[in-house]
Amino acid sequence: MSRRVTGPEIERLIQLLARLPGLGPRSARRAALQLVKKRDQLLIPLAEAMAVAAQKVTTCSCCGNVDTADPCAVCTDPQRDRSVIVVVEDVADLWALERAGAIDALYHVLGGTLSPLDGIGPDDLDIAGLVERAAQGEVREVILAVNATVDGQTTAHYVTDRLQGFGIRVSRLAHGVPVGGELDYLDEGTLTAAIRARQPF
Amino acid sequence: MSRRVTGPEIERLIQLLARLPGLGPRSARRAALQLVKKRDQLLIPLAEAMAVAAQKVTTCSCCGNVDTADPCAVCTDPQRDRSVIVVVEDVADLWALERAGAIDALYHVLGGTLSPLDGIGPDDLDIAGLVERAAQGEVREVILAVNATVDGQTTAHYVTDRLQGFGIRVSRLAHGVPVGGELDYLDEGTLTAAIRARQPF
């Protein structure tokens, strides 16, 4: 702001809020004002929740999920099929698949994709941990649920090579028309993939 | 989420973040993951900033601005023209006018607009405080910078009546074509107002 209209503590709160994904400078100001207006119902509880999270949050040493317990709620869930590991790039992908209730298996978070241009190599991802889990023999199938991007597919191929020799079935997500998708708006690659992978009706 | 994939502390953080304006459930999850990933650079500083704000933030007893000092940075700014008060509905409006550097005056935050339908009457807004400031004699002009909505204009008329008898000039924001606006996309009301208030070129 051109001149000071509020305290430095509030300016700092706005600056930090603006660094959250989905919040720009303007929405950060709106959020800060909302927080201040709802001091007892929102600001104080959120400050406390963040302090608790900062203190307790950890990364699952087995799958890389974010949790307050290690191993995480997924790895310790007795209901899951422990013979299937779904490999994802990011924790957000793990959570998305869980929200969909797509599969009742274990996960492994790589923490990104191979990207030579950005200098991200195999050692920067948790591929060794995946291979280690695969070597333990309990795993029958690894599903590569990486993004359908160039880097994602490169990573998928690399991981597949690393999993050779364990007698593990390696699969990837199907390409095709998104449910609810309109052909008219889909790219050629998706349409071609959908035709190639056509199913008996 | 269908089953627990992360700790309740993190679920709670997500739920609270989702109550911020501009953040929905999905973006709240992304924000929470971002916070957890940037624990030291973002999560801890933000938790502290919120705790400090919760402790120090106050409402200016003079103008209603949000600050950590009372009277606020605006009311105590010696550079400003203390004979002009800009009346706004909300603190966000005050900050917006300050960002624009539109005027170098004092402000008064009403805290909303009159809205019989929502049961918001004069006593629910800080109109008494404005009249009190006007009565002190230092004020020459009051600019009604309320939204160009029905409730905003109703409020403007009411405030104008309340300011009668103090020998104060009461003005309102000009209606017209927004800077950069295209006539083709403007509503009839705005175009009519812009024609009526046409300026010599």
Side-chain angles (χ1 to χ4, degrees):
Chain A
M1 295 175 208
S2 42
R3 294 153 299 190
R4 267 198 61 222
V5 293
T6 188
E9 299 88 348
I10 296 169
E11 292 286 3
R12 173 159 172 73
L13 175 60
I14 293 169
Q15 282 161 16
L16 287 166
L17 284 170
R19 289 171 53 190
L20 290 177
L23 285 186
R26 173 169 255 109
S27 45
R29 274 189 297 270
R30 282 179 50 230
L33 280 172
Q34 179 84 326
L35 282 165
V36 163
K37 276 181 196 163
K38 299 190 174 178
R39 185 175 167 282
D40 297 338
Q41 312 95 294
L42 190 53
L43 179 53
I44 292 172
L46 190 51
E48 286 168 353
M50 285 185 173
V52 171
Q55 187 191 8
K56 291 194 172 185
V57 76
T58 178
T59 301
C60 178
S61 55
C62 176
C63 74
N65 184 21
V66 162
D67 198 345
T68 47
D70 179 18
C72 72
V74 174
C75 288
T76 53
D77 182 349
Q79 307 298 327
R80 292 170 185 270
D81 177 354
R82 309 190 74 80
S83 71
V84 179
I85 294 180
V86 181
V87 175
V88 293
E89 292 177 17
D90 196 273
V91 175
D93 303 328
L94 189 167
W95 290 6
L97 286 163
E98 278 298 303
R99 280 198 304 283
I103 185 168
D104 203 4
L106 299 181
Y107 292 85
H108 192 83
V109 179
L110 294 175
T113 52
L114 296 175
S115 177
L117 288 175
D118 307 328
I120 299 174
D123 300 343
D124 302 311
L125 308 179
D126 184 21
I127 295 173
L130 175 63
V131 173
E132 194 178 299
R133 292 174 72 182
Q136 283 160 11
E138 198 181 8
V139 181
R140 262 185 21 261
E141 178 175 11
V142 167
I143 303 173
L144 300 170
V146 292
N147 294 335
T149 57
V150 173
D151 285 350
Q153 296 312 304
T154 310
T155 310
H157 286 296
Y158 180 84
V159 171
T160 310
D161 294 344
R162 292 289 300 274
L163 291 174
Q164 293 306 314
F166 296 115
I168 293 175
R169 185 155 96 258
V170 180
S171 55
R172 65 161 177 79
L173 296 182
H175 288 311
V177 180
V179 176
E182 298 180 33
L183 298 193
D184 193 15
Y185 293 97
L186 288 172
D187 62 286
E188 293 72 10
T190 303
L191 290 171
T192 310
I195 291 285
R196 288 216 188 102
R198 61 191 178 278
Q199 307 282 328
F201 193 73
Chain B
M1 298 176 205
S2 42
R3 292 155 301 190
R4 266 201 59 220
V5 292
T6 188
E9 299 88 348
I10 297 168
E11 292 286 4
R12 172 160 173 73
L13 176 60
I14 294 170
Q15 282 161 15
L16 287 166
L17 284 170
R19 287 171 54 190
L20 290 177
L23 285 185
R26 172 168 256 111
S27 45
R29 275 189 297 269
R30 282 178 53 233
L33 281 172
Q34 179 84 325
L35 283 165
V36 164
K37 276 181 194 162
K38 300 191 173 177
R39 184 174 167 283
D40 298 338
Q41 311 96 292
L42 191 54
L43 178 54
I44 292 173
L46 191 51
E48 287 167 353
M50 285 185 175
V52 171
Q55 188 191 7
K56 292 194 170 184
V57 77
T58 176
T59 301
C60 178
S61 55
C62 175
C63 76
N65 185 20
V66 163
D67 198 343
T68 46
D70 180 16
C72 73
V74 174
C75 289
T76 53
D77 182 347
Q79 306 298 327
R80 293 170 184 270
D81 177 355
R82 311 189 73 79
S83 70
V84 178
I85 293 181
V86 181
V87 175
V88 293
E89 292 178 16
D90 196 272
V91 174
D93 303 328
L94 189 167
W95 291 6
L97 286 162
E98 278 299 303
R99 280 199 304 282
I103 186 167
D104 204 4
L106 299 181
Y107 292 87
H108 192 84
V109 179
L110 293 176
T113 53
L114 295 175
S115 178
L117 288 176
D118 306 329
I120 300 173
D123 300 342
D124 302 314
L125 309 179
D126 184 21
I127 294 175
L130 175 64
V131 173
E132 194 179 301
R133 291 175 72 183
Q136 281 158 15
E138 198 182 6
V139 180
R140 265 188 14 263
E141 177 176 10
V142 166
I143 303 174
L144 300 171
V146 291
N147 293 334
T149 57
V150 173
D151 284 348
Q153 296 311 306
T154 310
T155 310
H157 285 295
Y158 180 84
V159 170
T160 309
D161 293 342
R162 290 289 301 273
L163 291 174
Q164 294 305 314
F166 297 115
I168 293 175
R169 185 156 96 259
V170 180
S171 56
R172 64 160 177 80
L173 296 183
H175 288 313
V177 181
V179 175
E182 299 180 33
L183 298 193
D184 193 15
Y185 293 96
L186 288 174
D187 61 285
E188 292 71 11
T190 303
L191 290 171
T192 309
I195 290 286
R196 288 215 188 103
R198 62 191 178 279
Q199 306 283 328
F201 192 69

